[in-house]
Amino acid sequence: MRVTKEPEIRRAELIEAARQLFDKNGIKNTQVSQIVEKVGVAKGLFYYYFKSKDEIVNEVVDLVMSELKEASLKILADTQLTFYQKTSEFVALYMHMIDQFSGDEEENLDSMLEIISHNPIAQDANELLQAQLERLIRQGVREGHLTIAYPEETVRVLIFGLLAQSRKRLLSMEQVITIVEQTMHLPAGSLKDEMVWHKEHRALNGPQ
């Protein structure tokens, strides 16, 4: 028996199914037929809610980027976190973003980054995240953790450098942490220690 649901509920189910499939297969390797199969509806219903696959990609990108923006604002506003803990949280957010759209196979990375780099929603969110990371660096300078003369430029070099590297090969969390430490001239291992805190914090409090 076919189950009838409110339009917004069904639409949300399609977006969530697409998100899960993008996470598993990558954007390029996910087909509309897989999305509707996962929800258990006809393909025609998909096109009732979305004009194309690109449209649902935009919806998922918007959802994920909104979550990342909200999480980054919470990190900056949390007075209980140290500078090192906040920095490790930002590294975790970066890795989460890459994981959400690349799928389980590393060869999906280049196509994922190509799609995201041309998405206006992702571009706006990326600009905001860069601004927030710049605020964090300026905090580190004020507190004496960093001696960076050009925070804005440093953020751009770091972010675009990591994204460029991801087009060739996905770095491990440990490699990203080491690169961030070296770029910011932080003591070796200072962020790695905080990633242990990050995992324990998530285990106790759940994802943000």
Side-chain angles (χ1 to χ4, degrees):
M1 180 179 178
R2 186 169 65 88
V3 178
T4 302
K5 295 186 178 181
E6 292 293 328
E8 285 306 309
I9 295 176
R10 186 63 82 187
R11 188 174 188 277
E13 287 179 344
L14 288 165
I15 292 172
E16 179 57 30
R19 178 177 183 169
Q20 293 177 16
L21 288 167
F22 294 161
D23 185 27
K24 184 177 188 301
N25 304 326
I27 295 174
K28 185 177 181 180
N29 294 333
T30 296
Q31 307 301 320
V32 170
S33 59
Q34 294 172 297
I35 298 172
V36 297
E37 181 180 358
K38 188 172 182 64
V39 178
V41 298
K43 187 179 287 189
L45 189 62
F46 175 92
Y47 289 107
Y48 173 79
Y49 293 111
F50 307 101
K51 295 178 181 178
S52 64
K53 176 185 168 182
D54 287 343
E55 188 170 326
I56 200 169
V57 168
N58 286 340
E59 292 286 346
V60 174
V61 170
D62 191 21
L63 177 62
V64 172
M65 293 304 178
S66 294
E67 292 174 355
L68 291 176
K69 287 189 287 186
E70 182 180 355
S72 65
L73 288 171
K74 285 182 178 179
I75 292 168
L76 287 174
D78 193 338
T79 57
Q80 301 300 312
L81 298 181
T82 67
F83 166 77
Y84 291 101
Q85 288 169 340
K86 289 180 179 181
T87 303
S88 70
E89 289 275 316
F90 267 90
V91 172
L93 281 181
Y94 164 80
M95 297 299 288
H96 176 68
M97 179 190 70
I98 295 296
D99 182 64
Q100 280 286 295
F101 299 112
S102 62
D104 295 338
E105 301 298 327
E106 191 170 298
E107 57 263 27
N108 295 331
L109 283 169
D110 188 58
S111 61
M112 178 276 292
L113 290 169
E114 185 67 22
I115 293 169
I116 295 300
S117 66
H118 291 92
N119 186 289
I121 298 170
Q123 290 172 358
D124 291 344
N126 185 46
E127 287 294 326
L128 179 59
L129 289 173
Q130 286 184 46
Q132 292 166 351
L133 184 54
E134 182 186 343
R135 284 176 56 194
L136 178 59
I137 288 179
R138 291 187 186 281
Q139 175 189 335
V141 172
R142 288 195 306 271
E143 295 177 358
H145 302 296
L146 303 173
T147 55
I148 294 177
Y150 304 104
E152 180 180 356
E153 291 77 5
T154 299
V155 168
R156 292 188 180 278
V157 168
L158 182 59
I159 295 297
F160 288 117
L162 287 172
L163 289 175
Q165 170 58 40
S166 296
R167 288 182 178 274
K168 296 184 177 181
R169 180 174 60 86
L170 181 61
L171 299 173
S172 68
M173 178 73 81
E174 184 173 353
Q175 288 173 316
V176 173
I177 288 172
T178 299
I179 290 170
V180 172
E181 286 177 347
Q182 292 176 348
T183 302
M184 294 185 176
H185 301 288
L186 294 172
S190 58
L191 295 183
K192 185 177 181 180
D193 292 341
E194 294 304 335
M195 288 310 298
V196 174
W197 172 88
H198 170 84
K199 291 178 181 178
E200 293 174 348
H201 179 73
R202 287 291 177 268
L204 290 172
N205 300 290
Q208 296 294 322

